[in-house]
Amino acid sequence: RRPGAAARMEEEEDEDSGGRGAAGSPAASARFVRCLYAVGFLDLFGVSMVVPLMNLHIKSLGASHTVAGIIGSLYGVMQLFSSTFVGCWSDIVGRRYSLLACILLSALGYFLLGTSTTVFLFAISRVPVGIFKHTLSISKALLSDLVSERDRPLVMGRFNAASSVGFILGPVVGGYLAEFEGGFYQTSFICASIFLLNGGLVWMLPWSEENTGNREHYQDKGTNSFSAKSNHDLHLKSTTSRAVTNSSFFQSPWIQVATVLKKIKGIACSNLWDIFLVRFLMSVAILLYYSNFTLALEERFGVKPLFAGYLMSYSSALGVLAGCLLGPITRLYGHNTYRLLLHSSSFTCVLILLYASALSIWMVILSSTFLAFSTTIGRTCIIDLELTVGGNEASGTLLGVGQSVTSVGRIIAPLLSGIAQEFSPCGPPSLAVGLALVAIVIMNANKQKYCSHGSVKLKNQ
């Protein structure tokens, strides 16, 4: 950017109440961050109320197994192509308007789901949700704008923990409501109402709040304690990472599309491929672990599906705890994200191997217990590494590309699992161990780049 534009950018930043710049003030509001935790909780709480009931509902509408499978895949395919574009769009128009648009259009999708009395209407209702259900990704990009690199793993971990609590509670509430007559329709309308509530919460966030007094609040509470160095980093970030002003949202759609394509080209031309490859390999490895979990436990140990469900809920609860413990763990590692990611990925690889070779159900319980911690830490660290190496100037784009990479893994993992399962119930986790080992080798081979903290910048910015 031209040096002469820097002063104008700083002057405009004081007037910007809707973009990233206002939210990214040096002393980020504690209330703002807590509200974003609530946004993540409400998002997954509402979604998890409905998702477990969808297969039963579409079957009740007369859909065949094939049609139900195609419609089920529709969401994943749309997420694959929309994640990068919506994430990049949030970099252009600002977090406020992109987050509101995604929440409200997702609410429309769940409202349509509540009126779906035919298979066609059911399929139509999945379109706006598949394209715009990126609340969590944009919220993470906003958190990245708010906090320094040093504090980012801690805040991201707590955000993931809050979201996971919603995912644990949602199915319980949805299952209870489904017992009533027309329960699925009621649950869908309640989900849409939760998204509208979430939209109202986002609208009322203190986007223009400069709140210098919250620095002491963070330190007193100890929940998001930012050091003097962190506050200095935040000041540097707010002056060097310029947000787009409110008028960007009302630019010509063609200008917005051209800017999106330019940013995506910058990602494609950068040498971040190894980080996204590591994310892809570890995502597929974990998906392979869970792909035939219930069936494998029944075939190997004679365990009923109910027990497998309890075990997965137990792992989810431990994942919430792991998110809360990320702060002490990152401090223990001296905020070295690369080393923490390498160790958590290696631990994940060993635990999946332990599960694949388990001789008793107790070994499975042991591996599941520690796997909940290692996978939660790994997910947070890989996002932090993407933002550290790629730079915060396009955090929404980076997170969107990462989400698309994970979506590709979700498409490929079931196919690999089915092929591996033809040989043995232990086939999918054994294949997962091999993929995790490849990811670890790639991380070791690129150690210098990961440790250089942002030496790799996006081109064409």
Side-chain angles (χ1 to χ4, degrees):
R1 296 174 180 175
R2 298 191 307 273
R8 291 196 302 274
M9 290 178 178
E10 290 181 26
E11 292 174 0
E12 291 170 358
E13 192 167 16
D14 294 333
E15 300 173 1
D16 182 9
S17 62
R20 288 169 47 198
S25 58
S29 169
R31 183 160 59 97
F32 201 118
V33 174
R34 286 198 299 269
C35 285
L36 284 179
Y37 293 160
V39 168
F41 168 81
L42 289 173
D43 182 83
L44 281 191
F45 177 71
V47 169
S48 61
M49 286 174 57
V50 174
V51 170
L53 309 176
M54 290 177 61
N55 280 339
L56 292 175
H57 179 66
I58 194 171
K59 293 287 182 59
S60 69
L61 296 177
S64 65
H65 291 285
T66 303
V67 172
I70 292 172
I71 294 176
S73 299
L74 183 64
Y75 174 83
V77 172
M78 287 188 293
Q79 286 273 295
L80 169 63
F81 292 102
S82 65
S83 295
T84 302
F85 285 93
V86 173
C88 188
W89 183 58
S90 75
D91 288 331
I92 297 169
V93 303
R95 310 292 184 220
R96 184 181 194 178
Y97 293 115
S98 58
L99 192 55
L100 276 172
C102 287
I103 290 174
L104 295 178
L105 289 168
S106 296
L108 172 64
Y110 286 109
F111 175 80
L112 292 175
L113 189 65
T115 62
S116 59
T117 54
T118 65
V119 174
F120 177 74
L121 289 175
F122 184 95
I124 291 296
S125 71
R126 301 302 290 158
V127 173
V129 179
I131 297 174
F132 293 101
K133 176 60 183 67
H134 300 290
T135 309
L136 297 182
S137 296
I138 297 176
S139 297
K140 289 177 182 178
L142 180 54
L143 285 173
S144 176
D145 300 336
L146 285 167
V147 301
S148 67
E149 290 183 4
R150 187 179 181 86
D151 297 298
R152 189 166 55 208
L154 167 65
V155 175
M156 290 290 188
R158 287 176 175 161
F159 179 82
N160 289 336
S163 303
S164 297
V165 171
F167 195 79
I168 292 171
L169 297 178
V172 177
V173 177
Y176 173 76
L177 294 173
E179 296 294 324
F180 297 98
E181 184 178 354
F184 178 82
Y185 299 105
Q186 295 177 18
T187 305
S188 298
F189 286 130
I190 292 174
C191 176
S193 301
I194 290 174
F195 270 77
L196 291 176
L197 175 64
N198 219 3
L201 177 61
V202 169
W203 179 261
M204 291 186 296
L205 284 173
W207 294 93
S208 59
E209 191 174 24
E210 293 288 339
N211 57 34
T212 57
N214 274 314
R215 192 174 304 165
E216 291 81 7
H217 175 81
Y218 274 115
Q219 295 171 347
D220 293 341
K221 292 295 183 183
T223 55
N224 288 304
S225 56
F226 300 122
S227 62
K229 181 181 183 303
S230 300
N231 286 316
H232 178 66
D233 291 342
L234 286 172
H235 177 70
L236 291 176
K237 180 188 293 187
S238 65
T239 56
T240 57
S241 300
R242 174 68 179 107
V244 183
T245 57
N246 292 344
S247 60
S248 300
F249 182 74
F250 303 102
Q251 284 179 347
S252 164
W254 299 112
I255 296 176
Q256 293 187 24
V257 169
T259 309
V260 166
L261 294 175
K262 183 180 178 181
K263 281 182 171 286
I264 293 174
K265 180 184 176 184
I267 292 283
C269 294
S270 67
N271 56 340
L272 293 169
W273 64 268
D274 51 308
I275 296 179
F276 292 120
L277 181 58
V278 167
R279 176 167 183 161
F280 171 75
L281 292 171
M282 292 305 300
S283 297
V284 174
I286 295 167
L287 289 167
L288 285 171
Y289 169 82
Y290 286 109
S291 62
N292 71 331
F293 189 75
T294 302
L295 180 60
L297 289 186
E298 185 175 5
E299 291 183 359
R300 294 172 63 189
F301 307 106
V303 172
K304 296 196 181 283
L306 180 61
F307 178 84
Y310 284 140
L311 187 56
M312 294 179 72
S313 297
Y314 164 72
S315 298
S316 299
L318 290 178
V320 174
L321 178 61
C324 296
L325 294 177
L326 257 172
I329 293 172
T330 52
R331 286 194 293 270
L332 180 66
Y333 274 78
H335 301 274
N336 190 329
T337 302
Y338 161 75
R339 192 157 61 96
L340 182 54
L341 176 62
L342 180 62
H343 290 177
S344 65
S345 300
S346 302
F347 196 34
T348 297
C349 181
V350 171
L351 290 170
I352 296 177
L353 179 61
L354 176 64
Y355 161 73
S357 59
L359 300 176
S360 69
I361 191 63
W362 293 108
M363 292 180 68
V364 175
I365 295 173
L366 179 66
S367 64
S368 297
T369 299
F370 290 104
L371 197 65
F373 285 89
S374 66
T375 54
T376 300
I377 293 171
R379 277 197 304 269
T380 304
C381 287
I382 193 65
I383 291 174
D384 185 65
L385 198 61
E386 288 173 8
L387 296 174
T388 300
V389 178
N392 280 338
E393 292 84 357
S395 55
T397 309
L398 289 165
L399 291 173
V401 173
Q403 189 64 36
S404 294
V405 168
T406 304
S407 297
V408 174
R410 290 196 184 102
I411 296 172
I412 292 177
L415 176 61
L416 294 178
S417 176
I419 296 172
Q421 210 165 332
E422 293 289 338
F423 299 93
S424 167
C426 299
S430 300
L431 179 58
V433 171
L435 295 176
L437 284 173
V438 174
I440 293 167
V441 170
I442 293 173
M443 280 189 277
N444 276 305
N446 293 273
K447 179 179 179 180
Q448 188 60 39
K449 182 169 74 174
Y450 295 151
C451 296
S452 61
H453 290 287
S455 62
V456 180
K457 295 300 180 183
L458 302 182
K459 300 178 182 179
N460 301 323
Q461 289 294 312

